[in-house]
Amino acid sequence: MNLDNPIFKKPITEVIKARTSMRSYNGVPLDKTIGDSIIDVINQDNEILPIVIPVGYPSESRRGMDTFVRFMAGSKNRKAWSKLFFDVDFNTPLKELESLEYFIPLQMVRLAPSAVNKQPWRIIKSSNSYDFYLEQSKDSKSDSHNDMHKIDIGIAMCHFELTSAELGLEGHWEKLKLSSQDNKKYIISWVRK
């Protein structure tokens, strides 16, 4: 993926607003759907990354297959706060009360969907930022699992930024000079204003 593309220089809120006001993207009409989802395909540098975005409201009753898939994926099971969020380093879990005004954005990250409910994101609260890391799968047999986790971290970042914006918490994404630790790869930081 080419991160020099201008689309990656915009805040996610602008990207979402631009996408939802469009009738098509890359020549693909946005009314092309599978089930209740819109399919958007990003094709850059010969890389195709399909993204399925659910829209609308859930039905009152679930189909049997939906219930089975949700059960197998562990969709109702979210990792504990102490396994996802840390204070200063990965040895010190962040206490909910210490997250202060960022409790709700962090909680929205905790509740965000992820591929097979892996919740691969880990976040460290430092003095003026929230540093996002991707816990790379030890058991993956190929890079495809880790590629899906890149989508997951993007979903987590979107939840964090949109909730922060809704609460009036100002900040911006910035790549700081932080290093990866063990199987946790540094991705980006939300720098508070």
Side-chain angles (χ1 to χ4, degrees):
M1 184 176 294
N2 178 4
L3 294 178
D4 292 328
N5 185 313
I7 196 73
F8 295 108
K9 305 293 184 199
K10 293 182 178 181
I12 190 71
T13 50
E14 286 182 29
V15 173
I16 289 171
K17 288 176 187 173
R19 292 290 182 259
T20 56
S21 65
M22 294 171 65
R23 297 287 176 239
S24 67
Y25 179 64
N26 284 351
V28 178
L30 291 181
D31 61 355
K32 298 282 186 197
T33 63
I34 291 182
D36 298 321
S37 302
I38 294 174
I39 295 185
D40 189 0
V41 177
I42 299 171
N43 185 357
Q44 302 204 354
D45 300 331
N46 296 321
E47 178 181 37
I48 298 175
L49 180 64
I51 302 170
V52 179
I53 304 169
V55 295
Y57 300 97
S59 66
E60 292 296 320
S61 62
R62 290 199 200 289
R63 297 181 309 194
M65 186 56 125
D66 291 340
T67 302
F68 176 73
V69 169
R70 286 180 57 79
F71 173 76
M72 291 306 292
S75 297
K76 287 189 174 182
N77 304 323
R78 294 289 187 250
K79 286 190 166 81
W81 180 278
S82 61
K83 302 287 184 197
L84 298 173
F85 310 122
F86 301 89
D87 195 8
V88 182
D89 60 40
F90 286 114
N91 296 319
T92 311
L94 178 66
K95 295 180 177 145
E96 292 180 27
L97 292 175
E98 292 173 357
S99 62
L100 305 172
E101 69 269 14
Y102 279 89
F103 171 78
I104 294 174
L106 290 170
Q107 184 68 351
M108 293 302 103
V109 168
R110 193 178 81 79
L111 297 175
S114 63
V116 293
N117 202 28
K118 287 281 188 183
Q119 294 176 272
W121 47 79
R122 300 296 178 267
I123 301 173
I124 294 179
K125 177 187 177 221
S126 58
S127 60
N128 69 332
S129 66
Y130 283 90
D131 309 318
F132 282 63
Y133 289 79
L134 178 63
E135 184 172 73
Q136 297 179 311
S137 193
K138 293 177 185 176
D139 61 342
S140 77
K141 295 179 176 75
S142 71
D143 288 337
S144 64
H145 287 283
N146 288 325
D147 286 345
M148 292 303 290
H149 296 330
K150 290 176 187 175
I151 295 171
D152 293 341
I153 194 97
I155 293 169
M157 290 167 61
C158 180
H159 277 67
F160 187 88
E161 181 175 343
L162 291 174
T163 306
S164 296
E166 182 70 23
L167 296 172
L169 302 172
E170 294 184 14
H172 64 276
W173 296 110
E174 187 176 328
K175 190 92 167 176
L176 303 177
K177 292 183 180 182
L178 299 175
S179 57
S180 298
Q181 301 176 28
D182 298 323
N183 64 328
K184 296 169 187 72
K185 180 181 177 186
Y186 171 69
I187 302 297
I188 200 161
S189 298
W190 175 262
V191 179
R192 298 175 284 179
K193 289 186 182 175

